[in-house]
Amino acid sequence: MGSTAEEIVFYTNPMSRGRIVRWMLEELGQPYRTEVLEFGKSMKAPAFLAINPMGKVPTIVHRDVVVSEAAAICTYLADAFPAAGLAPALDDPLRGSYLRWMFFAAGPVEAAVSAKALGLLAPADRAGTVGYGSFDQVVDTLEQVAGNASPWLLGERFSAADVYVGSQVLWGQMFKTLPERDAFNRYAAQLRTRPAWARAAALDDALIPPSS
């Protein structure tokens, strides 16, 4: 599992959140090497646990730096390769909105959707104790974010935030974890026009065993 410092090594499984990072890598346009790991097997083997003690994908290694967590990986890659234009610069006024919505999706959206799917949402009288507040608040806010995309979250400029927030919307539609909303449908349709999204989906779909 070694790599040269400049090489991007991408540890993933095609039936995981690694699909988000695959899309990001395709948008980036940089060469990368894919290492496909199996759930409960190579993902939990000592060789990979030495890289990511959580034994989970996606994970990347670049310049001898390990980055895990899909939102962190997208943020890191956009900053590491600024020529791709996938993140506003630190002095760009759009940087705040970019980070806000990226981590809104990584925090409240991810937590609320997962909690609802598992039947573990915080009761209404304890909503203040959880970062997402309530599922309805999260969905309504996400709907507003998607509805304001024109066509992207930063206006005419596509960014890594569209990859991550957009993936949450696309997955929410696919797995029915988000309610039907016109704003989600419009934003998802726009995301599917990205050639990099189509390339990434095809690459991952080709890796899924026929019986899956």
Side-chain angles (χ1 to χ4, degrees), residues 89-109:
L90 291 177
D91 59 353
D92 189 324
L94 290 174
R95 181 77 179 186
S97 294
Y98 163 77
L99 292 173
R100 178 187 183 186
W101 299 126
M102 175 79 81
F103 292 98
F104 168 71
V109 174

Side-chain angles (χ1 to χ4, degrees), residues 6-12 18-19 21-35 60-62 77 81 196 199-201 203-204 207:
E6 289 300 322
E7 182 181 35
I8 301 171
V9 184
F10 170 44
Y11 298 95
T12 189
R19 295 180 77 100
V21 174
R22 172 82 73 180
W23 179 13
M24 180 65 190
L25 287 164
E26 289 298 314
E27 292 283 358
L28 202 65
Q30 294 292 321
Y32 62 92
R33 174 162 60 89
T34 302
E35 295 282 349
I60 66 164
V61 178
H62 176 242
L77 289 172
F81 297 94
R199 288 196 305 273
L203 287 167
D204 278 325
L207 293 173

